[in-house]
Amino acid sequence: MVPEKIKLNSIGEVNTGYISLLEGTDLPFDIKRSYWIYSTPDDIIRGKHAHKELQQIIIAVSGEINFKLEDRFNKQYNISLKHPSEALFLPPFVWREITLSKDAVLICFASKEYNELEYIRNYDEFQNLIKKYNK
Ligand code: TYD
């Protein structure tokens, strides 16, 4: 599994507005937690971690969110979410650095409850772990 930007269905039209949706059958995991991030100052880089187990779907409900990613194969990605009909799937072992516009609201649907023990918060440790995994 690799990081992937997904286009969601939009139902509606310009005169009435739109609904976008995700259904269980669209997801590779059952949602166990959701959280949202907002009012992030422009000069702040969030993330700076990877997860050992967590899978996530992330949506920019408003504003713009930029992701600088590195996956377990050392492949790098620059992905932007600029519209609520776009989502980003993140598998485990993706180092992420995230910047958000001040008006951005990031919502995340996650495959597990919060567990600090499955975070990798040190970039060198991330590199060591993926090296082991790729052997
Ligand atoms: P963190 O995941 O490090 O946020 P970001 O990557 O956006 O900078 O979480 C920030 C803090 O919030 C950290 O102390 C853990 C806490 N937190 C929870 O308690 N529960 C959660 O579900 C999340 C996502 C974070």
Side-chain angles (χ1 to χ4, degrees), residues 4 10-11 22 38 51 62 64 68 72 79 82 86-88 90 98 105 108-112 121 123 128:
E4 192 183 354
S10 286
I11 302 169
L22 274 172
Y38 51 91
H51 292 278
S62 72
E64 181 173 335
K68 216 173 136 233
R72 68 200 323 164
I79 295 178
K82 296 182 179 174
E86 301 170 337
L88 174 64
L90 293 180
I98 307 169
V105 180
C108 176
F109 301 104
S111 63
K112 287 183 176 288
R121 291 202 183 266
Y123 184 71
N128 288 335

PDB file of all heavy atoms in Angstrom, residues 4 10-11 22 38 51 62 64 68 72 79 82 86-88 90 98 105 108-112 121 123 128:
ATOM      1  N   GLU A   4      -1.819   7.689  -1.500  1.00  0.00           N
ATOM      2  CA  GLU A   4      -2.612   7.837  -2.731  1.00  0.00           C
ATOM      3  C   GLU A   4      -3.672   8.927  -2.560  1.00  0.00           C
ATOM      4  O   GLU A   4      -4.390   8.944  -1.558  1.00  0.00           O
ATOM      5  CB  GLU A   4      -3.315   6.500  -3.011  1.00  0.00           C
ATOM      6  CG  GLU A   4      -3.930   6.426  -4.381  1.00  0.00           C
ATOM      7  CD  GLU A   4      -4.689   5.115  -4.592  1.00  0.00           C
ATOM      8  OE1 GLU A   4      -4.636   4.223  -3.718  1.00  0.00           O
ATOM      9  OE2 GLU A   4      -5.363   5.003  -5.616  1.00  0.00           O
ATOM     10  N   SER A  10     -18.877  13.709  -5.986  1.00  0.00           N
ATOM     11  CA  SER A  10     -19.589  14.916  -5.547  1.00  0.00           C
ATOM     12  C   SER A  10     -20.994  14.832  -6.103  1.00  0.00           C
ATOM     13  O   SER A  10     -21.167  14.696  -7.309  1.00  0.00           O
ATOM     14  CB  SER A  10     -18.936  16.176  -6.111  1.00  0.00           C
ATOM     15  OG  SER A  10     -17.742  16.445  -5.465  1.00  0.00           O
ATOM     16  N   ILE A  11     -21.966  14.912  -5.217  1.00  0.00           N
ATOM     17  CA  ILE A  11     -23.363  14.882  -5.653  1.00  0.00           C
ATOM     18  C   ILE A  11     -23.902  16.300  -5.544  1.00  0.00           C
ATOM     19  O   ILE A  11     -23.745  16.938  -4.500  1.00  0.00           O
ATOM     20  CB  ILE A  11     -24.203  13.949  -4.749  1.00  0.00           C
ATOM     21  CG1 ILE A  11     -23.622  12.528  -4.771  1.00  0.00           C
ATOM     22  CG2 ILE A  11     -25.664  13.955  -5.173  1.00  0.00           C
ATOM     23  CD1 ILE A  11     -24.228  11.627  -3.702  1.00  0.00           C
ATOM     24  N   LEU A  22     -17.777   9.179   1.714  1.00  0.00           N
ATOM     25  CA  LEU A  22     -16.953   7.969   1.778  1.00  0.00           C
ATOM     26  C   LEU A  22     -17.823   6.910   2.426  1.00  0.00           C
ATOM     27  O   LEU A  22     -18.413   7.167   3.481  1.00  0.00           O
ATOM     28  CB  LEU A  22     -15.767   8.197   2.709  1.00  0.00           C
ATOM     29  CG  LEU A  22     -14.509   8.821   2.155  1.00  0.00           C
ATOM     30  CD1 LEU A  22     -13.569   9.129   3.313  1.00  0.00           C
ATOM     31  CD2 LEU A  22     -13.837   7.886   1.170  1.00  0.00           C
ATOM     32  N   TYR A  38      -7.306  22.385  13.134  1.00  0.00           N
ATOM     33  CA  TYR A  38      -7.770  23.672  12.613  1.00  0.00           C
ATOM     34  C   TYR A  38      -6.983  24.802  13.270  1.00  0.00           C
ATOM     35  O   TYR A  38      -6.251  24.568  14.235  1.00  0.00           O
ATOM     36  CB  TYR A  38      -9.287  23.835  12.875  1.00  0.00           C
ATOM     37  CG  TYR A  38      -9.672  23.572  14.308  1.00  0.00           C
ATOM     38  CD1 TYR A  38      -9.708  24.601  15.245  1.00  0.00           C
ATOM     39  CD2 TYR A  38      -9.938  22.278  14.728  1.00  0.00           C
ATOM     40  CE1 TYR A  38     -10.027  24.347  16.565  1.00  0.00           C
ATOM     41  CE2 TYR A  38     -10.258  22.015  16.046  1.00  0.00           C
ATOM     42  CZ  TYR A  38     -10.311  23.044  16.961  1.00  0.00           C
ATOM     43  OH  TYR A  38     -10.612  22.788  18.275  1.00  0.00           O
ATOM     44  N   HIS A  51       3.648   6.316  11.380  1.00  0.00           N
ATOM     45  CA  HIS A  51       2.948   5.356  12.242  1.00  0.00           C
ATOM     46  C   HIS A  51       3.354   3.944  11.870  1.00  0.00           C
ATOM     47  O   HIS A  51       3.543   3.636  10.688  1.00  0.00           O
ATOM     48  CB  HIS A  51       1.429   5.494  12.068  1.00  0.00           C
ATOM     49  CG  HIS A  51       0.878   6.778  12.578  1.00  0.00           C
ATOM     50  ND1 HIS A  51       0.592   6.985  13.909  1.00  0.00           N
ATOM     51  CD2 HIS A  51       0.574   7.933  11.937  1.00  0.00           C
ATOM     52  CE1 HIS A  51       0.125   8.221  14.062  1.00  0.00           C
ATOM     53  NE2 HIS A  51       0.106   8.819  12.883  1.00  0.00           N
ATOM     54  N   SER A  62     -11.841  22.380   4.500  1.00  0.00           N
ATOM     55  CA  SER A  62     -11.718  23.723   3.933  1.00  0.00           C
ATOM     56  C   SER A  62     -10.237  24.075   3.861  1.00  0.00           C
ATOM     57  O   SER A  62      -9.398  23.411   4.483  1.00  0.00           O
ATOM     58  CB  SER A  62     -12.496  24.748   4.767  1.00  0.00           C
ATOM     59  OG  SER A  62     -11.823  24.962   5.979  1.00  0.00           O
ATOM     60  N   GLU A  64      -6.374  24.780   2.327  1.00  0.00           N
ATOM     61  CA  GLU A  64      -5.420  24.006   1.542  1.00  0.00           C
ATOM     62  C   GLU A  64      -4.414  23.338   2.480  1.00  0.00           C
ATOM     63  O   GLU A  64      -3.930  23.959   3.423  1.00  0.00           O
ATOM     64  CB  GLU A  64      -4.685  24.943   0.575  1.00  0.00           C
ATOM     65  CG  GLU A  64      -3.696  24.216  -0.278  1.00  0.00           C
ATOM     66  CD  GLU A  64      -3.073  25.113  -1.363  1.00  0.00           C
ATOM     67  OE1 GLU A  64      -3.726  26.112  -1.763  1.00  0.00           O
ATOM     68  OE2 GLU A  64      -1.948  24.804  -1.780  1.00  0.00           O
ATOM     69  N   LYS A  68       4.291  16.723   2.556  1.00  0.00           N
ATOM     70  CA  LYS A  68       5.581  16.245   2.064  1.00  0.00           C
ATOM     71  C   LYS A  68       5.751  14.865   2.689  1.00  0.00           C
ATOM     72  O   LYS A  68       5.801  14.735   3.918  1.00  0.00           O
ATOM     73  CB  LYS A  68       6.675  17.209   2.556  1.00  0.00           C
ATOM     74  CG  LYS A  68       7.777  17.414   1.586  1.00  0.00           C
ATOM     75  CD  LYS A  68       8.714  18.514   2.080  1.00  0.00           C
ATOM     76  CE  LYS A  68      10.118  18.043   1.876  1.00  0.00           C
ATOM     77  NZ  LYS A  68      10.965  18.083   3.032  1.00  0.00           N
ATOM     78  N   ARG A  72       7.706   3.847   2.874  1.00  0.00           N
ATOM     79  CA  ARG A  72       8.630   2.831   3.392  1.00  0.00           C
ATOM     80  C   ARG A  72       9.662   2.392   2.354  1.00  0.00           C
ATOM     81  O   ARG A  72      10.620   1.717   2.679  1.00  0.00           O
ATOM     82  CB  ARG A  72       7.841   1.634   3.922  1.00  0.00           C
ATOM     83  CG  ARG A  72       7.139   0.866   2.841  1.00  0.00           C
ATOM     84  CD  ARG A  72       5.990   0.008   3.336  1.00  0.00           C
ATOM     85  NE  ARG A  72       6.212  -0.611   4.614  1.00  0.00           N
ATOM     86  CZ  ARG A  72       5.235  -1.142   5.360  1.00  0.00           C
ATOM     87  NH1 ARG A  72       3.983  -1.103   4.930  1.00  0.00           N
ATOM     88  NH2 ARG A  72       5.505  -1.704   6.496  1.00  0.00           N
ATOM     89  N   ILE A  79       2.014  16.162  -2.079  1.00  0.00           N
ATOM     90  CA  ILE A  79       0.585  16.057  -2.418  1.00  0.00           C
ATOM     91  C   ILE A  79      -0.151  17.211  -1.753  1.00  0.00           C
ATOM     92  O   ILE A  79       0.090  17.514  -0.576  1.00  0.00           O
ATOM     93  CB  ILE A  79       0.012  14.702  -1.951  1.00  0.00           C
ATOM     94  CG1 ILE A  79       0.683  13.560  -2.731  1.00  0.00           C
ATOM     95  CG2 ILE A  79      -1.514  14.655  -2.135  1.00  0.00           C
ATOM     96  CD1 ILE A  79       0.239  12.162  -2.341  1.00  0.00           C
ATOM     97  N   LYS A  82      -6.812  20.475  -1.939  1.00  0.00           N
ATOM     98  CA  LYS A  82      -7.283  21.863  -2.120  1.00  0.00           C
ATOM     99  C   LYS A  82      -8.799  21.943  -2.232  1.00  0.00           C
ATOM    100  O   LYS A  82      -9.346  23.004  -2.472  1.00  0.00           O
ATOM    101  CB  LYS A  82      -6.692  22.446  -3.410  1.00  0.00           C
ATOM    102  CG  LYS A  82      -5.194  22.568  -3.382  1.00  0.00           C
ATOM    103  CD  LYS A  82      -4.676  23.179  -4.660  1.00  0.00           C
ATOM    104  CE  LYS A  82      -3.175  23.321  -4.584  1.00  0.00           C
ATOM    105  NZ  LYS A  82      -2.562  23.763  -5.802  1.00  0.00           N
ATOM    106  N   GLU A  86     -11.534  15.833  -2.400  1.00  0.00           N
ATOM    107  CA  GLU A  86     -10.300  15.053  -2.541  1.00  0.00           C
ATOM    108  C   GLU A  86      -9.950  14.443  -1.183  1.00  0.00           C
ATOM    109  O   GLU A  86     -10.212  15.054  -0.149  1.00  0.00           O
ATOM    110  CB  GLU A  86      -9.136  15.965  -2.932  1.00  0.00           C
ATOM    111  CG  GLU A  86      -9.327  16.716  -4.213  1.00  0.00           C
ATOM    112  CD  GLU A  86      -8.256  17.791  -4.421  1.00  0.00           C
ATOM    113  OE1 GLU A  86      -7.636  18.264  -3.435  1.00  0.00           O
ATOM    114  OE2 GLU A  86      -8.054  18.146  -5.579  1.00  0.00           O
ATOM    115  N   ALA A  87      -9.351  13.270  -1.226  1.00  0.00           N
ATOM    116  CA  ALA A  87      -8.900  12.638   0.023  1.00  0.00           C
ATOM    117  C   ALA A  87      -7.501  12.080  -0.194  1.00  0.00           C
ATOM    118  O   ALA A  87      -7.078  11.850  -1.332  1.00  0.00           O
ATOM    119  CB  ALA A  87      -9.851  11.524   0.430  1.00  0.00           C
ATOM    120  N   LEU A  88      -6.801  11.878   0.913  1.00  0.00           N
ATOM    121  CA  LEU A  88      -5.471  11.272   0.855  1.00  0.00           C
ATOM    122  C   LEU A  88      -5.483  10.023   1.719  1.00  0.00           C
ATOM    123  O   LEU A  88      -5.867  10.076   2.899  1.00  0.00           O
ATOM    124  CB  LEU A  88      -4.429  12.269   1.395  1.00  0.00           C
ATOM    125  CG  LEU A  88      -3.011  11.739   1.541  1.00  0.00           C
ATOM    126  CD1 LEU A  88      -2.416  11.370   0.180  1.00  0.00           C
ATOM    127  CD2 LEU A  88      -2.118  12.774   2.230  1.00  0.00           C
ATOM    128  N   LEU A  90      -3.229   7.301   3.590  1.00  0.00           N
ATOM    129  CA  LEU A  90      -1.872   7.062   4.090  1.00  0.00           C
ATOM    130  C   LEU A  90      -1.802   5.689   4.744  1.00  0.00           C
ATOM    131  O   LEU A  90      -2.494   5.435   5.737  1.00  0.00           O
ATOM    132  CB  LEU A  90      -1.472   8.133   5.114  1.00  0.00           C
ATOM    133  CG  LEU A  90      -1.304   9.561   4.599  1.00  0.00           C
ATOM    134  CD1 LEU A  90      -0.898  10.498   5.745  1.00  0.00           C
ATOM    135  CD2 LEU A  90      -0.266   9.629   3.476  1.00  0.00           C
ATOM    136  N   ILE A  98       3.434  18.343   7.313  1.00  0.00           N
ATOM    137  CA  ILE A  98       2.155  18.878   6.845  1.00  0.00           C
ATOM    138  C   ILE A  98       2.097  20.373   7.113  1.00  0.00           C
ATOM    139  O   ILE A  98       2.367  20.813   8.243  1.00  0.00           O
ATOM    140  CB  ILE A  98       0.978  18.191   7.591  1.00  0.00           C
ATOM    141  CG1 ILE A  98       1.091  16.668   7.492  1.00  0.00           C
ATOM    142  CG2 ILE A  98      -0.365  18.657   7.047  1.00  0.00           C
ATOM    143  CD1 ILE A  98       0.135  15.926   8.426  1.00  0.00           C
ATOM    144  N   VAL A 105      -9.185  23.159   7.538  1.00  0.00           N
ATOM    145  CA  VAL A 105      -9.662  22.177   8.518  1.00  0.00           C
ATOM    146  C   VAL A 105      -9.332  20.799   7.960  1.00  0.00           C
ATOM    147  O   VAL A 105      -9.818  20.434   6.886  1.00  0.00           O
ATOM    148  CB  VAL A 105     -11.176  22.298   8.783  1.00  0.00           C
ATOM    149  CG1 VAL A 105     -11.612  21.262   9.815  1.00  0.00           C
ATOM    150  CG2 VAL A 105     -11.536  23.701   9.259  1.00  0.00           C
ATOM    151  N   CYS A 108      -9.421  13.675   9.777  1.00  0.00           N
ATOM    152  CA  CYS A 108      -8.762  12.385   9.567  1.00  0.00           C
ATOM    153  C   CYS A 108      -9.657  11.277  10.087  1.00  0.00           C
ATOM    154  O   CYS A 108     -10.199  11.364  11.197  1.00  0.00           O
ATOM    155  CB  CYS A 108      -7.428  12.355  10.311  1.00  0.00           C
ATOM    156  SG  CYS A 108      -6.610  10.751  10.195  1.00  0.00           S
ATOM    157  N   PHE A 109      -9.805  10.227   9.277  1.00  0.00           N
ATOM    158  CA  PHE A 109     -10.482   9.001   9.696  1.00  0.00           C
ATOM    159  C   PHE A 109      -9.398   7.940   9.811  1.00  0.00           C
ATOM    160  O   PHE A 109      -8.625   7.720   8.863  1.00  0.00           O
ATOM    161  CB  PHE A 109     -11.546   8.587   8.677  1.00  0.00           C
ATOM    162  CG  PHE A 109     -12.582   9.646   8.469  1.00  0.00           C
ATOM    163  CD1 PHE A 109     -12.580  10.439   7.328  1.00  0.00           C
ATOM    164  CD2 PHE A 109     -13.547   9.883   9.433  1.00  0.00           C
ATOM    165  CE1 PHE A 109     -13.526  11.442   7.145  1.00  0.00           C
ATOM    166  CE2 PHE A 109     -14.498  10.891   9.263  1.00  0.00           C
ATOM    167  CZ  PHE A 109     -14.492  11.665   8.119  1.00  0.00           C
ATOM    168  N   ALA A 110      -9.320   7.306  10.972  1.00  0.00           N
ATOM    169  CA  ALA A 110      -8.176   6.442  11.262  1.00  0.00           C
ATOM    170  C   ALA A 110      -8.616   5.026  11.607  1.00  0.00           C
ATOM    171  O   ALA A 110      -9.723   4.795  12.109  1.00  0.00           O
ATOM    172  CB  ALA A 110      -7.380   7.050  12.421  1.00  0.00           C
ATOM    173  N   SER A 111      -7.707   4.089  11.356  1.00  0.00           N
ATOM    174  CA  SER A 111      -8.027   2.666  11.516  1.00  0.00           C
ATOM    175  C   SER A 111      -7.888   2.178  12.964  1.00  0.00           C
ATOM    176  O   SER A 111      -8.262   1.054  13.262  1.00  0.00           O
ATOM    177  CB  SER A 111      -7.106   1.830  10.618  1.00  0.00           C
ATOM    178  OG  SER A 111      -5.758   1.994  11.033  1.00  0.00           O
ATOM    179  N   LYS A 112      -7.304   3.019  13.836  1.00  0.00           N
ATOM    180  CA  LYS A 112      -7.096   2.587  15.226  1.00  0.00           C
ATOM    181  C   LYS A 112      -7.308   3.746  16.190  1.00  0.00           C
ATOM    182  O   LYS A 112      -7.184   4.906  15.795  1.00  0.00           O
ATOM    183  CB  LYS A 112      -5.661   2.082  15.420  1.00  0.00           C
ATOM    184  CG  LYS A 112      -5.416   0.730  14.764  1.00  0.00           C
ATOM    185  CD  LYS A 112      -4.008   0.250  15.045  1.00  0.00           C
ATOM    186  CE  LYS A 112      -3.803  -1.143  14.482  1.00  0.00           C
ATOM    187  NZ  LYS A 112      -4.510  -2.187  15.225  1.00  0.00           N
ATOM    188  N   ARG A 121       8.511   9.043  16.052  1.00  0.00           N
ATOM    189  CA  ARG A 121       8.634  10.508  16.065  1.00  0.00           C
ATOM    190  C   ARG A 121      10.047  10.970  15.737  1.00  0.00           C
ATOM    191  O   ARG A 121      10.304  12.168  15.716  1.00  0.00           O
ATOM    192  CB  ARG A 121       8.180  11.064  17.412  1.00  0.00           C
ATOM    193  CG  ARG A 121       6.668  10.926  17.625  1.00  0.00           C
ATOM    194  CD  ARG A 121       6.169  11.916  18.638  1.00  0.00           C
ATOM    195  NE  ARG A 121       4.748  11.781  18.926  1.00  0.00           N
ATOM    196  CZ  ARG A 121       3.808  12.488  18.299  1.00  0.00           C
ATOM    197  NH1 ARG A 121       4.122  13.329  17.345  1.00  0.00           N
ATOM    198  NH2 ARG A 121       2.532  12.327  18.625  1.00  0.00           N
ATOM    199  N   TYR A 123      13.114  10.840  12.928  1.00  0.00           N
ATOM    200  CA  TYR A 123      13.323  10.526  11.501  1.00  0.00           C
ATOM    201  C   TYR A 123      14.385   9.438  11.306  1.00  0.00           C
ATOM    202  O   TYR A 123      14.239   8.569  10.446  1.00  0.00           O
ATOM    203  CB  TYR A 123      13.709  11.799  10.746  1.00  0.00           C
ATOM    204  CG  TYR A 123      13.845  11.577   9.256  1.00  0.00           C
ATOM    205  CD1 TYR A 123      12.727  11.353   8.454  1.00  0.00           C
ATOM    206  CD2 TYR A 123      15.099  11.585   8.655  1.00  0.00           C
ATOM    207  CE1 TYR A 123      12.856  11.139   7.089  1.00  0.00           C
ATOM    208  CE2 TYR A 123      15.237  11.375   7.283  1.00  0.00           C
ATOM    209  CZ  TYR A 123      14.099  11.152   6.515  1.00  0.00           C
ATOM    210  OH  TYR A 123      14.236  10.938   5.157  1.00  0.00           O
ATOM    211  N   ASN A 128      15.798   3.691  10.022  1.00  0.00           N
ATOM    212  CA  ASN A 128      16.289   2.375  10.464  1.00  0.00           C
ATOM    213  C   ASN A 128      15.205   1.306  10.350  1.00  0.00           C
ATOM    214  O   ASN A 128      15.467   0.193   9.899  1.00  0.00           O
ATOM    215  CB  ASN A 128      16.784   2.442  11.916  1.00  0.00           C
ATOM    216  CG  ASN A 128      18.090   3.206  11.995  1.00  0.00           C
ATOM    217  OD1 ASN A 128      18.836   3.272  11.014  1.00  0.00           O
ATOM    218  ND2 ASN A 128      18.363   3.804  13.139  1.00  0.00           N
TER     219      ASN A 128
END
